[in-house]
Amino acid sequence: MQPFVHKYGFKLLVTLMLAGMVVSVFFWINRSSTLPVIKQAPNFTLNKLDGHKFNMSDSNGKVRLVEFMFTSCPDICPLTTYNMVKLQEDLKKNNQWGDQVQFLSVTFDPVKDTPEVFQQYGDRMRMDYSGWTLLTGTEAETADVAKSFGVLVQKMPDGQFMHTVTSLFLIDGSGNIRKIFAMGEQMDNQEILQSIRQLTSSTSK
């Protein structure tokens, strides 16, 4: 045994130390599950459906999920909103809706999406306005806000819009974008819900 220790002891010690470091790093990564800050969210001002101004910074202190959409979209937008409504119901179960978490939907088709049309869309989708704000403005204003978030929008000759499918932004209480999600069929509600609760948990500490 002694010759073995003398011969291989140093190598064994180094191997054990390296293994210990690997295990430590693994547990540190899994324990440190903080979402990275991607960038500061643009501060913008648009109109609520009642005509009052809404400034993004007014909602600081809450975790926000921001959706860019238009109500006449035939597929990806209504599916995204439908999934968000399911998230809304999950957040209500833990009394996080409205007080800790707010959803914002910005239309980049304000010509068709008048306040009346937008309201009807929200009612039809069963949005709960105690924690969900619908925002509009001029076509130039909403296009500028979308662009400031990195959302590419192109109006087509038939009046429909082509837009980036990653148009769903998770913003923390300090106004930092912490995650960007795909919309529609690619949405993972469990991932989004987990990320929201992670941010609300860190905010409440």
Side-chain angles (χ1 to χ4, degrees):
M1 184 69 181
Q2 289 297 329
F4 176 85
V5 171
H6 285 300
K7 186 174 183 180
Y8 298 104
F10 180 73
K11 291 182 179 179
L12 184 62
L13 179 62
V14 171
T15 301
L16 289 172
M17 288 177 64
L18 289 173
M21 290 173 62
V22 169
V23 171
S24 297
V25 169
F26 173 81
F27 280 109
W28 179 82
I29 289 172
N30 282 274
R31 186 173 64 250
S32 178
S33 56
T34 302
L35 296 175
V37 173
I38 297 175
K39 67 175 183 177
Q40 183 75 21
N43 190 29
F44 62 85
T45 300
L46 288 172
N47 298 325
K48 296 191 287 186
L49 298 191
D50 61 7
H52 289 91
K53 295 291 183 183
F54 173 89
N55 188 275
M56 184 63 174
S57 62
D58 294 341
S59 59
N60 280 354
K62 296 181 181 181
V63 173
R64 289 145 290 183
L65 190 62
V66 182
E67 169 198 28
F68 289 91
M69 45 77 72
F70 62 110
T71 67
S72 61
C73 171
D75 40 45
I76 192 169
C77 297
L79 182 54
T80 300
T81 304
Y82 170 75
N83 283 325
M84 290 173 69
V85 170
K86 291 201 291 185
L87 289 169
Q88 163 192 285
E89 298 307 310
D90 285 327
L91 292 165
K92 283 183 179 181
K93 294 174 184 176
N94 287 348
N95 299 315
Q96 294 179 300
W97 182 250
D99 292 328
Q100 298 180 45
V101 183
Q102 182 177 20
F103 287 0
L104 305 172
S105 291
V106 181
T107 177
F108 38 68
D109 188 12
V111 174
K112 291 181 182 175
D113 292 342
T114 62
E116 294 76 21
V117 169
F118 212 175
Q119 178 81 49
Q120 290 168 7
Y121 175 84
D123 293 346
R124 187 169 64 252
M125 299 298 290
R126 299 186 178 180
M127 294 179 178
D128 183 340
Y129 303 115
S130 65
W132 202 321
T133 304
L134 307 183
L135 298 170
T136 185
T138 66
E139 196 166 331
E141 287 170 342
T142 55
D144 284 345
V145 172
K147 183 178 179 180
S148 70
F149 274 82
V151 177
L152 302 178
V153 182
Q154 183 177 359
K155 190 172 184 178
M156 308 304 288
D158 63 358
Q160 293 293 301
F161 289 82
M162 296 285 289
H163 63 93
T164 312
V165 295
T166 48
S167 302
L168 195 60
F169 297 83
L170 182 62
I171 300 171
D172 66 21
S174 300
N176 299 306
I177 298 175
R178 304 296 287 272
K179 208 151 189 179
I180 303 172
F181 300 104
M183 302 174 72
E185 293 180 350
Q186 300 181 54
M187 282 178 69
D188 184 340
N189 268 27
Q190 282 305 114
E191 179 192 3
I192 298 173
L193 186 63
Q194 182 179 351
S195 298
I196 289 173
R197 286 180 173 161
Q198 194 174 330
L199 292 183
T200 57
S201 175
S202 62
T203 301
S204 61
K205 290 180 180 179

Short mmCIF file of all heavy atoms in Angstrom, two decimals, residues 32-88:
data_model
loop_
_atom_site.label_atom_id
_atom_site.label_comp_id
_atom_site.label_asym_id
_atom_site.label_seq_id
_atom_site.Cartn_x
_atom_site.Cartn_y
_atom_site.Cartn_z
N SER A 32 -27.04 29.28 -8.39
CA SER A 32 -27.08 30.65 -8.90
C SER A 32 -27.93 30.69 -10.16
O SER A 32 -27.41 30.65 -11.27
CB SER A 32 -25.65 31.13 -9.20
OG SER A 32 -25.68 32.42 -9.75
N SER A 33 -29.21 30.72 -9.97
CA SER A 33 -30.14 30.66 -11.10
C SER A 33 -30.67 32.03 -11.48
O SER A 33 -31.71 32.14 -12.10
CB SER A 33 -31.30 29.71 -10.76
OG SER A 33 -31.93 30.14 -9.56
N THR A 34 -29.97 33.08 -11.08
CA THR A 34 -30.40 34.43 -11.37
C THR A 34 -30.41 34.66 -12.88
O THR A 34 -29.44 34.33 -13.57
CB THR A 34 -29.47 35.46 -10.71
OG1 THR A 34 -29.46 35.21 -9.31
CG2 THR A 34 -29.95 36.88 -10.97
N LEU A 35 -31.49 35.25 -13.37
CA LEU A 35 -31.57 35.57 -14.80
C LEU A 35 -30.62 36.73 -15.10
O LEU A 35 -30.61 37.72 -14.38
CB LEU A 35 -33.00 35.96 -15.17
CG LEU A 35 -34.07 34.88 -15.03
CD1 LEU A 35 -35.44 35.47 -15.32
CD2 LEU A 35 -33.80 33.71 -15.96
N PRO A 36 -29.84 36.64 -16.15
CA PRO A 36 -28.91 37.73 -16.48
C PRO A 36 -29.66 38.96 -16.97
O PRO A 36 -30.77 38.86 -17.50
CB PRO A 36 -28.05 37.13 -17.60
CG PRO A 36 -28.94 36.11 -18.24
CD PRO A 36 -29.76 35.52 -17.12
N VAL A 37 -29.05 40.10 -16.76
CA VAL A 37 -29.60 41.35 -17.30
C VAL A 37 -29.15 41.46 -18.75
O VAL A 37 -27.96 41.47 -19.04
CB VAL A 37 -29.11 42.57 -16.51
CG1 VAL A 37 -29.54 43.86 -17.20
CG2 VAL A 37 -29.63 42.52 -15.07
N ILE A 38 -30.12 41.51 -19.66
CA ILE A 38 -29.79 41.62 -21.08
C ILE A 38 -29.46 43.08 -21.43
O ILE A 38 -28.41 43.37 -21.99
CB ILE A 38 -30.96 41.11 -21.95
CG1 ILE A 38 -31.19 39.62 -21.68
CG2 ILE A 38 -30.69 41.36 -23.43
CD1 ILE A 38 -32.40 39.04 -22.38
N LYS A 39 -30.35 43.98 -21.05
CA LYS A 39 -30.11 45.41 -21.22
C LYS A 39 -31.22 46.17 -20.53
O LYS A 39 -32.23 45.58 -20.11
CB LYS A 39 -30.05 45.79 -22.70
CG LYS A 39 -31.36 45.63 -23.45
CD LYS A 39 -31.25 46.15 -24.89
CE LYS A 39 -32.59 46.06 -25.61
NZ LYS A 39 -32.51 46.62 -26.98
N GLN A 40 -31.05 47.47 -20.40
CA GLN A 40 -32.10 48.31 -19.83
C GLN A 40 -33.23 48.42 -20.84
O GLN A 40 -33.00 48.66 -22.03
CB GLN A 40 -31.55 49.70 -19.52
CG GLN A 40 -32.54 50.66 -18.86
CD GLN A 40 -32.79 50.36 -17.41
OE1 GLN A 40 -31.98 49.71 -16.77
NE2 GLN A 40 -33.90 50.84 -16.87
N ALA A 41 -34.45 48.23 -20.37
CA ALA A 41 -35.61 48.36 -21.27
C ALA A 41 -35.80 49.82 -21.65
O ALA A 41 -35.63 50.71 -20.81
CB ALA A 41 -36.86 47.82 -20.59
N PRO A 42 -36.15 50.10 -22.90
CA PRO A 42 -36.42 51.48 -23.30
C PRO A 42 -37.59 52.05 -22.49
O PRO A 42 -38.58 51.35 -22.24
CB PRO A 42 -36.79 51.36 -24.79
CG PRO A 42 -36.21 50.05 -25.22
CD PRO A 42 -36.28 49.16 -24.02
N ASN A 43 -37.46 53.29 -22.08
CA ASN A 43 -38.56 53.96 -21.39
C ASN A 43 -39.40 54.67 -22.44
O ASN A 43 -38.89 55.47 -23.21
CB ASN A 43 -38.03 54.96 -20.36
CG ASN A 43 -39.14 55.48 -19.47
OD1 ASN A 43 -40.12 54.79 -19.22
ND2 ASN A 43 -38.98 56.70 -18.97
N PHE A 44 -40.68 54.36 -22.50
CA PHE A 44 -41.53 54.92 -23.54
C PHE A 44 -42.82 55.45 -22.94
O PHE A 44 -43.19 55.10 -21.83
CB PHE A 44 -41.83 53.87 -24.61
CG PHE A 44 -42.60 52.67 -24.09
CD1 PHE A 44 -43.99 52.71 -23.99
CD2 PHE A 44 -41.94 51.52 -23.71
CE1 PHE A 44 -44.71 51.60 -23.52
CE2 PHE A 44 -42.65 50.42 -23.23
CZ PHE A 44 -44.02 50.47 -23.14
N THR A 45 -43.49 56.26 -23.72
CA THR A 45 -44.80 56.78 -23.33
C THR A 45 -45.79 56.51 -24.45
O THR A 45 -45.55 56.88 -25.61
CB THR A 45 -44.75 58.30 -23.05
OG1 THR A 45 -43.82 58.55 -22.00
CG2 THR A 45 -46.12 58.81 -22.64
N LEU A 46 -46.89 55.82 -24.13
CA LEU A 46 -47.97 55.57 -25.08
C LEU A 46 -49.30 55.85 -24.39
O LEU A 46 -49.32 56.27 -23.22
CB LEU A 46 -47.91 54.11 -25.58
CG LEU A 46 -46.77 53.75 -26.54
CD1 LEU A 46 -46.73 52.26 -26.80
CD2 LEU A 46 -46.90 54.51 -27.86
N ASN A 47 -50.38 55.61 -25.10
CA ASN A 47 -51.70 55.89 -24.55
C ASN A 47 -52.40 54.62 -24.08
O ASN A 47 -52.36 53.60 -24.76
CB ASN A 47 -52.59 56.56 -25.61
CG ASN A 47 -52.04 57.89 -26.08
OD1 ASN A 47 -51.45 58.64 -25.29
ND2 ASN A 47 -52.21 58.18 -27.35
N LYS A 48 -53.02 54.71 -22.93
CA LYS A 48 -53.93 53.65 -22.51
C LYS A 48 -55.24 53.84 -23.27
O LYS A 48 -55.46 54.86 -23.93
CB LYS A 48 -54.16 53.72 -21.00
CG LYS A 48 -52.88 53.46 -20.20
CD LYS A 48 -53.15 53.27 -18.71
CE LYS A 48 -53.51 54.57 -18.04
NZ LYS A 48 -53.63 54.42 -16.57
N LEU A 49 -56.11 52.86 -23.19
CA LEU A 49 -57.34 52.93 -23.97
C LEU A 49 -58.26 54.06 -23.55
O LEU A 49 -59.09 54.51 -24.33
CB LEU A 49 -58.08 51.58 -23.90
CG LEU A 49 -57.34 50.37 -24.47
CD1 LEU A 49 -58.28 49.18 -24.58
CD2 LEU A 49 -56.72 50.68 -25.84
N ASP A 50 -58.12 54.52 -22.30
CA ASP A 50 -58.95 55.63 -21.83
C ASP A 50 -58.37 56.98 -22.21
O ASP A 50 -58.91 58.03 -21.85
CB ASP A 50 -59.16 55.55 -20.31
CG ASP A 50 -57.85 55.63 -19.53
OD1 ASP A 50 -56.78 55.88 -20.14
OD2 ASP A 50 -57.89 55.43 -18.30
N GLY A 51 -57.25 56.97 -22.96
CA GLY A 51 -56.65 58.21 -23.42
C GLY A 51 -55.57 58.75 -22.50
O GLY A 51 -54.83 59.66 -22.90
N HIS A 52 -55.46 58.22 -21.29
CA HIS A 52 -54.43 58.68 -20.38
C HIS A 52 -53.06 58.15 -20.81
O HIS A 52 -52.95 57.07 -21.38
CB HIS A 52 -54.74 58.23 -18.95
CG HIS A 52 -55.89 58.95 -18.33
ND1 HIS A 52 -57.18 58.50 -18.42
CD2 HIS A 52 -55.94 60.10 -17.62
CE1 HIS A 52 -58.00 59.34 -17.79
NE2 HIS A 52 -57.26 60.32 -17.30
N LYS A 53 -52.04 58.92 -20.50
CA LYS A 53 -50.69 58.54 -20.86
C LYS A 53 -50.17 57.45 -19.92
O LYS A 53 -50.48 57.42 -18.73
CB LYS A 53 -49.75 59.75 -20.78
CG LYS A 53 -50.06 60.86 -21.79
CD LYS A 53 -49.75 60.40 -23.22
CE LYS A 53 -49.99 61.53 -24.22
NZ LYS A 53 -49.74 61.07 -25.62
N PHE A 54 -49.39 56.56 -20.49
CA PHE A 54 -48.71 55.54 -19.71
C PHE A 54 -47.24 55.62 -20.01
O PHE A 54 -46.82 55.55 -21.17
CB PHE A 54 -49.23 54.14 -20.08
CG PHE A 54 -48.46 53.02 -19.41
CD1 PHE A 54 -48.84 52.54 -18.17
CD2 PHE A 54 -47.35 52.46 -20.03
CE1 PHE A 54 -48.13 51.52 -17.55
CE2 PHE A 54 -46.63 51.44 -19.42
CZ PHE A 54 -47.03 50.97 -18.18
N ASN A 55 -46.43 55.79 -18.97
CA ASN A 55 -44.99 55.78 -19.12
C ASN A 55 -44.46 54.49 -18.52
O ASN A 55 -44.88 54.08 -17.44
CB ASN A 55 -44.38 56.99 -18.40
CG ASN A 55 -42.90 57.13 -18.68
OD1 ASN A 55 -42.07 56.53 -18.01
ND2 ASN A 55 -42.57 57.94 -19.68
N MET A 56 -43.54 53.86 -19.22
CA MET A 56 -43.02 52.57 -18.78
C MET A 56 -42.50 52.63 -17.34
O MET A 56 -42.70 51.70 -16.56
CB MET A 56 -41.91 52.13 -19.73
CG MET A 56 -41.33 50.76 -19.43
SD MET A 56 -42.57 49.45 -19.61
CE MET A 56 -41.55 48.02 -19.37
N SER A 57 -41.83 53.70 -16.99
CA SER A 57 -41.25 53.81 -15.66
C SER A 57 -42.32 53.90 -14.57
O SER A 57 -42.02 53.67 -13.39
CB SER A 57 -40.32 55.03 -15.58
OG SER A 57 -41.04 56.23 -15.82
N ASP A 58 -43.57 54.23 -14.95
CA ASP A 58 -44.64 54.29 -13.96
C ASP A 58 -44.90 52.94 -13.31
O ASP A 58 -45.43 52.86 -12.21
CB ASP A 58 -45.95 54.79 -14.61
CG ASP A 58 -45.86 56.23 -15.09
OD1 ASP A 58 -44.96 56.95 -14.61
OD2 ASP A 58 -46.68 56.62 -15.92
N SER A 59 -44.55 51.88 -14.03
CA SER A 59 -44.81 50.53 -13.52
C SER A 59 -43.58 49.89 -12.88
O SER A 59 -43.59 48.70 -12.57
CB SER A 59 -45.33 49.63 -14.65
OG SER A 59 -44.39 49.56 -15.71
N ASN A 60 -42.51 50.69 -12.69
CA ASN A 60 -41.33 50.16 -12.01
C ASN A 60 -41.70 49.64 -10.63
O ASN A 60 -42.57 50.19 -9.96
CB ASN A 60 -40.24 51.24 -11.90
CG ASN A 60 -39.46 51.41 -13.19
OD1 ASN A 60 -39.65 50.67 -14.15
ND2 ASN A 60 -38.59 52.40 -13.23
N GLY A 61 -41.02 48.59 -10.23
CA GLY A 61 -41.35 47.93 -8.97
C GLY A 61 -42.12 46.64 -9.20
O GLY A 61 -42.18 45.78 -8.32
N LYS A 62 -42.68 46.51 -10.41
CA LYS A 62 -43.40 45.29 -10.79
C LYS A 62 -42.62 44.55 -11.88
O LYS A 62 -41.91 45.17 -12.67
CB LYS A 62 -44.80 45.62 -11.32
CG LYS A 62 -45.73 46.28 -10.31
CD LYS A 62 -47.09 46.54 -10.93
CE LYS A 62 -48.02 47.21 -9.93
NZ LYS A 62 -49.37 47.45 -10.51
N VAL A 63 -42.79 43.25 -11.90
CA VAL A 63 -42.28 42.45 -13.01
C VAL A 63 -43.27 42.58 -14.15
O VAL A 63 -44.48 42.44 -13.96
CB VAL A 63 -42.11 40.98 -12.59
CG1 VAL A 63 -41.73 40.13 -13.80
CG2 VAL A 63 -41.08 40.86 -11.48
N ARG A 64 -42.76 42.84 -15.36
CA ARG A 64 -43.65 43.08 -16.50
C ARG A 64 -43.35 42.14 -17.65
O ARG A 64 -42.19 41.86 -17.94
CB ARG A 64 -43.52 44.53 -16.97
CG ARG A 64 -44.11 45.53 -15.99
CD ARG A 64 -43.34 46.82 -15.95
NE ARG A 64 -42.04 46.64 -15.34
CZ ARG A 64 -41.18 47.65 -15.13
NH1 ARG A 64 -41.48 48.87 -15.51
NH2 ARG A 64 -40.01 47.42 -14.56
N LEU A 65 -44.42 41.68 -18.28
CA LEU A 65 -44.30 40.89 -19.51
C LEU A 65 -44.91 41.73 -20.62
O LEU A 65 -46.10 42.04 -20.60
CB LEU A 65 -45.04 39.56 -19.36
CG LEU A 65 -44.81 38.53 -20.48
CD1 LEU A 65 -43.34 38.10 -20.55
CD2 LEU A 65 -45.70 37.31 -20.28
N VAL A 66 -44.08 42.13 -21.58
CA VAL A 66 -44.49 43.07 -22.63
C VAL A 66 -44.65 42.32 -23.95
O VAL A 66 -43.71 41.67 -24.43
CB VAL A 66 -43.47 44.21 -22.79
CG1 VAL A 66 -43.94 45.20 -23.86
CG2 VAL A 66 -43.26 44.93 -21.46
N GLU A 67 -45.84 42.45 -24.53
CA GLU A 67 -46.18 41.78 -25.79
C GLU A 67 -46.38 42.83 -26.88
O GLU A 67 -47.12 43.79 -26.70
CB GLU A 67 -47.47 40.98 -25.60
CG GLU A 67 -48.08 40.44 -26.87
CD GLU A 67 -49.56 40.03 -26.70
OE1 GLU A 67 -50.25 40.60 -25.83
OE2 GLU A 67 -49.99 39.14 -27.44
N PHE A 68 -45.75 42.63 -28.04
CA PHE A 68 -46.02 43.45 -29.21
C PHE A 68 -46.87 42.63 -30.17
O PHE A 68 -46.53 41.50 -30.51
CB PHE A 68 -44.71 43.87 -29.88
CG PHE A 68 -43.93 44.90 -29.09
CD1 PHE A 68 -42.99 44.51 -28.16
CD2 PHE A 68 -44.18 46.25 -29.28
CE1 PHE A 68 -42.28 45.44 -27.42
CE2 PHE A 68 -43.48 47.20 -28.54
CZ PHE A 68 -42.53 46.80 -27.60
N MET A 69 -47.99 43.21 -30.63
CA MET A 69 -48.96 42.43 -31.40
C MET A 69 -49.89 43.34 -32.19
O MET A 69 -49.76 44.56 -32.15
CB MET A 69 -49.77 41.56 -30.44
CG MET A 69 -50.26 42.26 -29.18
SD MET A 69 -51.69 43.34 -29.40
CE MET A 69 -52.96 42.12 -29.66
N PHE A 70 -50.84 42.73 -32.91
CA PHE A 70 -51.94 43.47 -33.53
C PHE A 70 -53.14 42.54 -33.58
O PHE A 70 -53.01 41.33 -33.77
CB PHE A 70 -51.57 44.03 -34.91
CG PHE A 70 -51.22 43.01 -35.96
CD1 PHE A 70 -52.07 42.76 -37.03
CD2 PHE A 70 -50.02 42.30 -35.90
CE1 PHE A 70 -51.74 41.84 -38.02
CE2 PHE A 70 -49.68 41.37 -36.87
CZ PHE A 70 -50.55 41.14 -37.94
N THR A 71 -54.32 43.08 -33.38
CA THR A 71 -55.50 42.24 -33.13
C THR A 71 -55.99 41.49 -34.36
O THR A 71 -56.67 40.47 -34.21
CB THR A 71 -56.65 43.08 -32.57
OG1 THR A 71 -57.11 44.00 -33.57
CG2 THR A 71 -56.23 43.86 -31.33
N SER A 72 -55.68 41.97 -35.56
CA SER A 72 -56.14 41.26 -36.76
C SER A 72 -55.18 40.18 -37.21
O SER A 72 -55.39 39.53 -38.23
CB SER A 72 -56.38 42.25 -37.91
OG SER A 72 -55.17 42.92 -38.24
N CYS A 73 -54.13 39.97 -36.44
CA CYS A 73 -53.17 38.89 -36.71
C CYS A 73 -53.92 37.56 -36.70
O CYS A 73 -54.67 37.28 -35.77
CB CYS A 73 -52.08 38.91 -35.65
SG CYS A 73 -50.96 37.50 -35.69
N PRO A 74 -53.74 36.72 -37.72
CA PRO A 74 -54.54 35.49 -37.82
C PRO A 74 -54.05 34.33 -36.97
O PRO A 74 -54.79 33.36 -36.77
CB PRO A 74 -54.43 35.14 -39.31
CG PRO A 74 -53.09 35.68 -39.71
CD PRO A 74 -52.89 36.94 -38.91
N ASP A 75 -52.82 34.39 -36.47
CA ASP A 75 -52.30 33.19 -35.80
C ASP A 75 -51.45 33.45 -34.57
O ASP A 75 -51.89 33.25 -33.44
CB ASP A 75 -51.50 32.34 -36.81
CG ASP A 75 -50.65 33.20 -37.74
OD1 ASP A 75 -49.99 34.13 -37.25
OD2 ASP A 75 -50.63 32.93 -38.96
N ILE A 76 -50.23 33.95 -34.77
CA ILE A 76 -49.27 33.99 -33.68
C ILE A 76 -49.66 34.92 -32.54
O ILE A 76 -49.46 34.60 -31.36
CB ILE A 76 -47.87 34.36 -34.22
CG1 ILE A 76 -46.79 34.11 -33.17
CG2 ILE A 76 -47.82 35.80 -34.72
CD1 ILE A 76 -45.39 34.21 -33.69
N CYS A 77 -50.26 36.07 -32.86
CA CYS A 77 -50.62 37.03 -31.79
C CYS A 77 -51.74 36.52 -30.89
O CYS A 77 -51.60 36.55 -29.66
CB CYS A 77 -50.99 38.39 -32.40
SG CYS A 77 -49.63 39.18 -33.28
N PRO A 78 -52.87 36.05 -31.45
CA PRO A 78 -53.92 35.55 -30.55
C PRO A 78 -53.47 34.33 -29.75
O PRO A 78 -53.89 34.17 -28.60
CB PRO A 78 -55.08 35.21 -31.50
CG PRO A 78 -54.48 35.11 -32.86
CD PRO A 78 -53.32 36.05 -32.87
N LEU A 79 -52.63 33.49 -30.33
CA LEU A 79 -52.14 32.33 -29.59
C LEU A 79 -51.24 32.78 -28.44
O LEU A 79 -51.30 32.22 -27.34
CB LEU A 79 -51.38 31.38 -30.52
CG LEU A 79 -50.84 30.10 -29.88
CD1 LEU A 79 -51.94 29.33 -29.18
CD2 LEU A 79 -50.16 29.23 -30.94
N THR A 80 -50.43 33.81 -28.69
CA THR A 80 -49.59 34.36 -27.64
C THR A 80 -50.43 34.93 -26.51
O THR A 80 -50.19 34.68 -25.33
CB THR A 80 -48.66 35.45 -28.21
OG1 THR A 80 -47.83 34.88 -29.22
CG2 THR A 80 -47.80 36.06 -27.12
N THR A 81 -51.44 35.71 -26.89
CA THR A 81 -52.32 36.30 -25.87
C THR A 81 -53.05 35.21 -25.10
O THR A 81 -53.22 35.32 -23.87
CB THR A 81 -53.33 37.26 -26.53
OG1 THR A 81 -52.62 38.25 -27.29
CG2 THR A 81 -54.17 37.96 -25.48
N TYR A 82 -53.49 34.18 -25.79
CA TYR A 82 -54.17 33.06 -25.13
C TYR A 82 -53.27 32.43 -24.07
O TYR A 82 -53.70 32.15 -22.94
CB TYR A 82 -54.57 32.03 -26.18
CG TYR A 82 -55.08 30.73 -25.61
CD1 TYR A 82 -56.35 30.63 -25.06
CD2 TYR A 82 -54.27 29.59 -25.62
CE1 TYR A 82 -56.81 29.42 -24.53
CE2 TYR A 82 -54.72 28.39 -25.10
CZ TYR A 82 -55.99 28.31 -24.55
OH TYR A 82 -56.44 27.13 -24.02
N ASN A 83 -52.00 32.23 -24.43
CA ASN A 83 -51.05 31.67 -23.47
C ASN A 83 -50.80 32.62 -22.31
O ASN A 83 -50.63 32.19 -21.15
CB ASN A 83 -49.73 31.34 -24.16
CG ASN A 83 -49.80 30.06 -24.97
OD1 ASN A 83 -50.48 29.11 -24.59
ND2 ASN A 83 -49.09 30.01 -26.09
N MET A 84 -50.77 33.90 -22.60
CA MET A 84 -50.58 34.90 -21.54
C MET A 84 -51.76 34.90 -20.58
O MET A 84 -51.60 35.11 -19.37
CB MET A 84 -50.35 36.29 -22.15
CG MET A 84 -49.02 36.44 -22.86
SD MET A 84 -48.84 38.03 -23.75
CE MET A 84 -48.75 39.18 -22.36
N VAL A 85 -52.96 34.69 -21.10
CA VAL A 85 -54.14 34.61 -20.24
C VAL A 85 -54.03 33.41 -19.29
O VAL A 85 -54.41 33.48 -18.11
CB VAL A 85 -55.44 34.55 -21.07
CG1 VAL A 85 -56.64 34.22 -20.20
CG2 VAL A 85 -55.66 35.89 -21.79
N LYS A 86 -53.49 32.31 -19.79
CA LYS A 86 -53.27 31.15 -18.92
C LYS A 86 -52.24 31.48 -17.83
O LYS A 86 -52.40 31.08 -16.67
CB LYS A 86 -52.83 29.94 -19.75
CG LYS A 86 -53.92 29.40 -20.65
CD LYS A 86 -53.67 27.95 -21.07
CE LYS A 86 -52.49 27.83 -21.99
NZ LYS A 86 -52.31 26.43 -22.49
N LEU A 87 -51.21 32.23 -18.20
CA LEU A 87 -50.23 32.69 -17.21
C LEU A 87 -50.90 33.61 -16.18
O LEU A 87 -50.60 33.53 -14.98
CB LEU A 87 -49.09 33.43 -17.90
CG LEU A 87 -48.11 32.60 -18.72
CD1 LEU A 87 -47.22 33.51 -19.55
CD2 LEU A 87 -47.26 31.71 -17.81
N GLN A 88 -51.78 34.46 -16.67
CA GLN A 88 -52.55 35.36 -15.80
C GLN A 88 -53.28 34.56 -14.72
O GLN A 88 -53.25 34.91 -13.53
CB GLN A 88 -53.53 36.15 -16.66
CG GLN A 88 -54.68 36.82 -15.94
CD GLN A 88 -55.74 37.32 -16.91
OE1 GLN A 88 -55.54 38.32 -17.58
NE2 GLN A 88 -56.87 36.63 -17.00
#
